[in-house]
Amino acid sequence: MAIELTPYEARVIGCLLEKEVTTPEQYPLTLNGLTTAVNQKSNRDPVYSLTEAEVLDTVELLKAKRLISDLEGFGSRVTKYQHRFCNTEFGSLQFSDQQRGMVCVLLLRGPQTPGELRTRTNRLCEFTDVKEVESVLAVMQEKAYVAALPREPGKRESRYTHLFGTETPETASPVAFVESTPASAPSSDLVARVESLEREVEELKELVNSLLS
């Protein structure tokens, strides 16, 4: 059965995929933790301001689709949530670390170029270079997990989008990827610097929250 996620559902699944890897000590997530992750200002596009009630409504829809399960008890009085989106014992989606990392970032930030994907997945998986990203994207295109969008005017790289959404752009196409050129390197360097600053800010926020809790 095809997985179709609304924008809010995609954000919730993306957050659970991300936090499972980046903050395993806090995963599964409480409703409060999940709401904070959904509304996070860094590494998100667009930025949301959902209430806990709205996030809980989204969680309930995902539970009905068997894409989320909740955990109660086990020494905690608070219900926690974990995804069943991929890499589960009985699930049909089985991703490599690289594929999982890219799907996670696409769910959180929408269409992106191979260069952006390489930079933005560095806390989730490793790529040696952009060509390796393109190679993984090619495999994922064959399996209809992602698709290429028409290249924007003045851009050297095509963007890629995931195909798990109810609002996937109709212009998405499973065409072969366009290899990046050396001329696109300065843009990738700028993205890398911005992403590094965003990660530092997010880590400082998590540190402050842990000290205050």
Side-chain angles (χ1 to χ4, degrees), residues 19-81:
K19 299 306 181 183
E20 183 182 21
V21 175
T22 60
T23 56
E25 70 282 358
Q26 298 175 18
Y27 184 84
L29 300 181
T30 63
L31 178 59
N32 178 265
L34 183 55
T35 302
T36 298
V38 165
N39 295 330
Q40 190 174 301
K41 290 182 171 58
S42 62
N43 304 319
R44 306 287 186 267
D45 188 16
V47 173
Y48 291 142
S49 296
L50 303 186
T51 64
E52 285 195 0
E54 289 173 318
V55 173
L56 183 58
D57 286 343
T58 304
V59 166
E60 292 300 323
L61 291 173
L62 288 167
K63 285 171 61 179
K65 294 180 179 181
R66 300 181 181 275
L67 295 176
I68 277 184
S69 61
D70 53 24
L71 300 175
E72 298 180 3
F74 300 102
S76 174
R77 293 173 295 176
V78 181
T79 301
K80 295 186 176 183
Y81 302 96

Side-chain angles (χ1 to χ4, degrees), residues 114 134 137-139 141-142 146-151 157-160 173-179:
E134 293 171 339
L137 282 170
V139 173
Q141 282 181 277
E142 292 177 358
V146 303
L149 297 173
R151 188 186 304 174
E157 290 183 292
S158 294
R159 296 183 304 156
Y160 291 79
S173 170
V175 298
F177 61 83
V178 179
E179 292 189 3

Side-chain angles (χ1 to χ4, degrees), residues 134-207:
E134 293 171 339
S135 177
V136 175
L137 282 170
V139 173
M140 296 177 73
Q141 282 181 277
E142 292 177 358
K143 297 182 178 181
Y145 297 149
V146 303
L149 297 173
R151 188 186 304 174
E152 296 178 298
K155 301 293 184 180
R156 293 183 176 274
E157 290 183 292
S158 294
R159 296 183 304 156
Y160 291 79
T161 183
H162 69 82
L163 295 179
F164 300 107
T166 57
E167 297 184 8
T168 299
E170 294 181 0
T171 52
S173 170
V175 298
F177 61 83
V178 179
E179 292 189 3
S180 58
T181 62
S184 63
S187 176
S188 297
D189 290 342
L190 178 59
V191 170
R193 290 197 296 270
V194 172
E195 289 297 325
S196 177
L197 289 173
E198 288 181 344
R199 288 196 304 274
E200 291 178 8
V201 170
E202 187 59 32
E203 289 169 359
L204 287 173
K205 287 181 180 178
E206 292 177 357
L207 176 60

Side-chain angles (χ1 to χ4, degrees), residues 96-116:
S96 68
D97 289 345
Q98 292 175 327
Q99 292 172 338
R100 185 180 182 280
M102 284 201 288
V103 168
C104 173
V105 171
L106 289 171
L107 289 171
L108 292 175
R109 304 188 67 149
Q112 295 160 73
T113 66
E116 289 171 333

